[in-house]
């Protein structure tokens, strides 16, 4: 089983979605189930409603999964495993107060040495533990050997036991820390491959140390994805701006990969995607690249579907929207372009008179199937020519002073002409 483990502590951003996509693709490729585990154990930072939003986004992006879990529902397992570790003497109760620890941490800082837990509570007598009324945390005993993380993308990284240290598994409020909850849950769900952001690479030896202490011997595979710089752009915002889910998916899979072609969909990516060939270097979110990809996906949309996205249900309007893809990259921009065609026009003073003449003539005009006939009719009846004809005419037909070829424009709006010139 693979898992995507988001925290409901903020808007889902492109970095999270990329992790979700890579987990989904890998689960399909390996023919293993995918679990969505909402990591809601950081009670203070949880935001109500965020988990619902996460599931909505996964659905919108076609990320199918077979199981879902709320990490907080596993609390009894976290506590049971902590007790087991205490009994097995793999963990110990620590009564050091946060203030004492902070003072020691400060002293290390001043002495310019890395802070390490000094083992104060590691060998307390049983009576000192049992009779102690003070709040306590539970710490894992520092491992007695270095731990090597083997990563599909990054290769091997070895962490010294001293750097892993005797870290906290259960806080004084009797809730697990992220590392402990995560390691226990991954074990209970029999996770085979963990794909997550490189930010978590330094957590991995701790989680391996927990597995070892629990006697869990399964060889879990790891893939830590290189950092996506400036990757905190929220998915909600991108969707509101009018980026298609297919385009966002395409862009996020493209980063760091060498696909057979630049424009593809999720199904196609499953055929060639290979975690092993992913670039090790961090990438930077590039909105211009996303814009380019979005335009390509908009271009490829069925015109009827595109027209619905811009508020119509007419194939012609979909084709009209496509005309604007030279200058517009998102649905929001396309809606503005199409909106301007149907909105009352703002006309510079110098063209006001010509504009009114053309507007009246258009209102009275018979239907012309092609732009040339319409244009001849206007020339004949208005007496306007050159820029005095074409500039106000462009404003009349598009609400803008620049844009696509008028003949292309005319063909697609001719059935709406009276409305456009109202
Ligand atoms: N809850 C972590 C996050 O939201 C995920 C950690 C993990 O995948 O182990 O990024």
């Amino acid at each position: 089983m693979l898992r995507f483990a988001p925290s409901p502590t903020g808007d889902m951003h492109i970095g999270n979605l990329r992790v979700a996509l890579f987990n989904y693709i890998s689960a399909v490729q390996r023919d293993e189930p995918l679990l969505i585990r909402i990591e809601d154990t950081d009670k203070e930072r949880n935001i109500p409603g965020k988990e619902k939003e996460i599931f909505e986004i996964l659905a919108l992006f076609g990320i199918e999964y077979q199981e879902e879990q709320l990490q907080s529902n596993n609390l009894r397992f976290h506590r049971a495993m902590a007790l087991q570790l205490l009994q097995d003497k793999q963990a110990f109760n620590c009564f050091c107060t946060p203030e004492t620890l902070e003072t020691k941490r400060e002293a290390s800082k001043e002495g310019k040495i890395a802070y390490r837990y000094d083992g104060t509570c590691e060998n307390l007598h049983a009576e000192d533990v049992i009779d102690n009324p003070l709040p306590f945390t539970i710490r894992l005993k520092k491992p007695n050997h270095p731990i090597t993380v083997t990563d599909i993308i990054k290769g091997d990284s070895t962490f010294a036991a001293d750097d892993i240290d005797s870290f906290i598994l259960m806080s004084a409020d009797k809730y697990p820390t992220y590392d402990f909850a995560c390691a226990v849950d991954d074990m209970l769900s029999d996770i085979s491959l963990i794909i997550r952001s490189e930010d978590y690479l330094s957590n991995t030896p701790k989680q391996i140390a927990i597995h070892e202490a629990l006697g869990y011997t399964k060889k879990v595979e790891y893939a830590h994805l290189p950092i996506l710089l400036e990757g905190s752009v929220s998915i909600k915002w991108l969707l509101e701006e009018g980026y298609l889910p297919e385009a966002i998916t395409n862009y996020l899979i493209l980063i760091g990969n060498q696909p057979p072609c630049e424009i593809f969909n999720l199904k196609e990516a499953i055929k060639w995607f290979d975690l092993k060939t992913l670039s090790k270097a961090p990438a930077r979110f590039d909105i211009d690249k996303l814009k380019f990809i979005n335009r390509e996906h908009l271009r490829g949309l069925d015109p009827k579907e595109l027209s619905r996205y811009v508020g119509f249900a007419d194939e012609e309007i979909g084709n009209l929207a496509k005309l604007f893809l030279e200058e517009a990259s998102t649905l929001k921009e396309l809606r503005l372009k199409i909106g301007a065609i149907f909105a009352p026009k703002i006309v510079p003073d110098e063209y006001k008179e010509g504009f009114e003449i053309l507007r009246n003539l258009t209102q009275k005009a018979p239907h012309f199937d092609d732009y040339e006939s319409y244009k001849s009719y206007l020339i004949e009846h208005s007496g306007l020519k050159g820029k005095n004809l074409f500039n106000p005419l462009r404003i009349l037909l598009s609400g803008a002073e620049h844009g696509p070829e008028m003949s292309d424009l005319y063909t697609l709006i001719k059935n709406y002409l009276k409305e456009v010139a109202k």
Side-chain angles (χ1 to χ4, degrees):
M1 169 129 54
L2 277 75
R3 83 325 185 255
F4 171 56
S7 303
T9 50
D11 282 349
M12 190 152 158
H13 56 65
I14 51 173
N16 305 130
L17 181 60
R18 186 159 175 257
V19 171
L21 284 166
F22 286 14
N23 271 296
Y24 168 74
I25 294 174
S26 304
V28 175
Q29 287 180 333
R30 295 160 65 112
D31 197 18
E32 289 188 53
L34 176 65
L35 158 74
I36 308 299
R37 183 173 74 223
I38 303 290
E39 299 208 320
D40 61 343
T41 30
D42 190 344
K43 296 184 295 305
E44 257 112 73
R45 292 181 55 231
N46 285 345
I47 302 175
K50 283 294 157 204
E51 64 186 72
K52 185 168 163 268
E53 217 172 88
I54 292 170
F55 284 114
E56 283 167 2
I57 290 176
L58 294 178
L60 187 64
F61 282 79
I63 298 177
E64 291 167 9
Y65 49 87
Q66 285 63 43
E67 217 181 290
E68 61 183 74
Q69 264 181 26
L70 264 192
Q71 187 160 58
S72 54
N73 287 341
N74 292 346
L75 184 59
R76 62 188 189 287
F77 299 119
H78 306 141
R79 288 183 176 159
M81 299 288 169
L83 272 179
Q84 187 190 318
L85 290 173
L86 282 174
Q87 270 161 10
D88 295 348
K89 307 238 173 313
Q90 300 276 5
F92 60 93
N93 302 64
C94 173
F95 297 91
C96 298
T97 63
E99 295 74 26
T100 314
L101 294 171
E102 191 46 39
T103 310
K104 291 181 181 172
R105 209 171 270 128
E106 281 302 314
S108 305
K109 216 178 187 178
E110 270 166 39
K112 294 196 167 49
I113 45 170
Y115 168 78
R116 301 280 178 256
Y117 179 71
D118 62 5
T120 307
C121 298
E122 189 170 333
N123 296 307
L124 291 180
H125 289 296
E127 313 83 75
D128 293 335
V129 174
I130 295 289
D131 294 338
N132 203 327
L134 294 172
F136 62 85
T137 60
I138 299 175
R139 287 180 186 267
L140 188 78
K141 280 189 185 166
K142 160 172 107 177
N144 57 13
H145 57 88
I147 288 183
T148 298
V149 178
T150 302
D151 185 286
I152 295 176
I153 302 165
K154 306 183 82 63
D156 284 357
S157 327
T158 298
F159 296 81
D162 276 348
D163 292 336
I164 298 168
D165 209 9
S166 296
F167 62 92
I168 297 179
L169 303 176
M170 297 288 284
S171 310
D173 63 3
K174 310 227 175 334
Y175 280 86
T177 56
Y178 155 70
D179 284 311
F180 190 48
C182 181
V184 168
D185 292 347
D186 286 337
M187 180 179 93
L188 294 179
S189 300
D190 192 25
I191 298 300
S192 57
L193 165 61
I194 294 179
I195 303 175
R196 60 185 166 199
S197 152
E198 192 175 33
D199 299 335
Y200 291 94
L201 182 60
S202 61
N203 295 87
T204 304
K206 290 184 181 176
Q207 295 174 12
I208 293 176
I210 294 168
H211 284 169
E212 286 183 357
L214 286 167
Y216 186 57
T217 51
K218 181 174 176 124
K219 189 100 190 76
V220 180
E221 291 181 88
Y222 292 91
H224 291 89
L225 303 184
I227 305 279
L228 182 55
L229 298 165
E230 290 163 33
S232 58
V233 177
S234 95
I235 303 297
K236 225 166 71 184
W237 180 80
L238 287 177
L239 294 170
E240 278 162 13
E241 285 300 300
Y243 292 93
L244 294 172
E246 299 85 326
I248 301 173
T249 298
N250 185 157
Y251 173 68
L252 291 178
I253 299 174
L254 184 67
I255 305 169
N257 261 309
Q258 293 123 18
C261 57
E262 209 168 34
I263 304 301
F264 52 80
N265 61 30
L266 187 51
K267 254 205 186 119
E268 289 158 351
I270 291 171
K271 293 196 197 119
W272 53 257
F273 181 85
D274 184 0
L275 270 178
K276 291 195 285 295
T277 57
L278 208 66
S279 161
K280 294 180 186 34
R284 186 175 298 277
F285 173 59
D286 177 355
I287 192 124
D288 291 327
K289 186 80 188 180
L290 175 59
K291 279 187 177 158
F292 161 76
I293 291 173
N294 203 45
R295 276 200 303 272
E296 293 306 306
H297 280 267
L298 287 167
R299 220 167 250 138
L301 273 186
D302 170 65
K304 194 95 185 248
E305 191 180 354
L306 179 54
S307 93
R308 273 196 292 274
Y309 279 128
V310 293
F312 290 78
D314 176 0
E315 197 175 321
E316 295 290 85
I317 300 288
N319 285 323
L320 176 65
K322 288 191 187 193
L323 273 191
F324 287 96
L325 284 174
E326 294 302 319
E327 29 186 327
S329 312
T330 64
L331 287 172
K332 192 173 173 181
E333 289 166 8
L334 285 180
R335 278 184 211 116
L336 285 175
K337 297 282 180 198
I338 306 291
I341 296 176
F342 291 96
K345 313 291 180 334
I346 299 159
V347 189
D349 285 345
E350 56 180 313
Y351 300 127
K352 274 214 164 82
E353 203 185 321
F355 176 87
E356 277 309 316
I357 295 171
L358 295 173
R359 196 166 72 86
N360 286 325
L361 279 172
T362 303
Q363 284 295 352
K364 286 187 230 129
H367 178 81
F368 295 108
D369 214 37
D370 62 294
Y371 176 65
E372 286 308 315
S373 319
Y374 170 62
K375 191 173 77 180
S376 309
Y377 163 86
L378 292 179
I379 291 172
E380 188 185 328
H381 293 84
S382 69
L384 295 168
K385 53 179 196 253
K387 74 178 179 51
N388 290 329
L389 170 70
F390 292 111
N391 288 357
L393 182 58
R394 179 174 283 288
I395 296 172
L396 181 68
L397 299 188
S398 73
E401 293 186 46
H402 308 280
E405 284 294 324
M406 298 252 269
S407 52
D408 296 339
L409 199 61
Y410 180 82
T411 315
L412 295 165
I413 59 171
K414 64 185 178 201
N415 294 330
Y416 292 91
L417 210 54
K418 307 284 177 213
E419 208 182 319
V420 169
K422 68 178 179 288

